[in-house]
Amino acid sequence: PTTRKVNGKALSADISLSASDVGAATAEQVNALKPKTATVTLTAAGWRKGEQTVTVTGILADSSAQIVDVCPANKPSADRWAAAGVWCTSQAANSLTFSCDSVPTEDINVNIRMQGVSA
């Protein structure tokens, strides 16, 4: 039926539909929502006034656009994390800031999972 159209495209020949034609996410949009992981080390020497900022490629400045989960990477790091009262206090573009109740005397390895949030 050459008088009919799909998304404004005449059916008189083969047509190509894009993701936007049918309201689907593009490959780039889908990839942005996939979880990404990283591991960083909070070094014993890196604490300044109870804070340490580490570089984490992929962290967004807008905390409402991304879910960020942090956890110690192993049992020794978990023990140090708990003993020092460490927690993640803020995020900025490609970085996370951690605070502590008492400065750890040994390095803490931290696993990070980040995932974009669909609008």
Side-chain angles (χ1 to χ4, degrees):
T2 58
T3 59
R4 300 213 176 199
K5 294 181 179 186
V6 172
N7 285 59
K9 298 177 183 188
L11 295 177
S12 56
D14 288 345
I15 61 170
S16 295
L17 295 175
S18 66
S20 63
D21 286 327
V22 295
T26 64
E28 182 178 289
Q29 291 168 321
V30 169
N31 193 42
L33 295 177
K34 288 182 180 178
K36 295 172 183 63
T37 60
T39 299
V40 297
T41 300
L42 302 176
T43 63
W47 296 94
R48 301 289 179 265
K49 297 183 180 179
E51 287 190 346
Q52 185 167 163
T53 299
V54 292
T55 299
V56 185
T57 302
I59 295 290
L60 303 177
D62 181 0
S63 62
S64 67
Q66 185 179 52
I67 296 168
V68 177
D69 294 319
V70 298
C71 67
N74 52 43
K75 174 80 165 94
S77 289
D79 291 343
R80 294 177 200 133
W81 175 281
V86 175
W87 71 100
C88 185
T89 53
S90 66
Q91 72 187 68
N94 295 313
S95 71
L96 291 173
T97 298
F98 293 82
S99 295
C100 64
D101 293 331
S102 60
V103 175
T105 57
E106 295 181 74
D107 294 352
I108 299 173
N109 296 316
V110 181
N111 287 332
I112 298 157
R113 183 178 69 90
M114 54 206 119
Q115 184 171 5
V117 177
S118 174

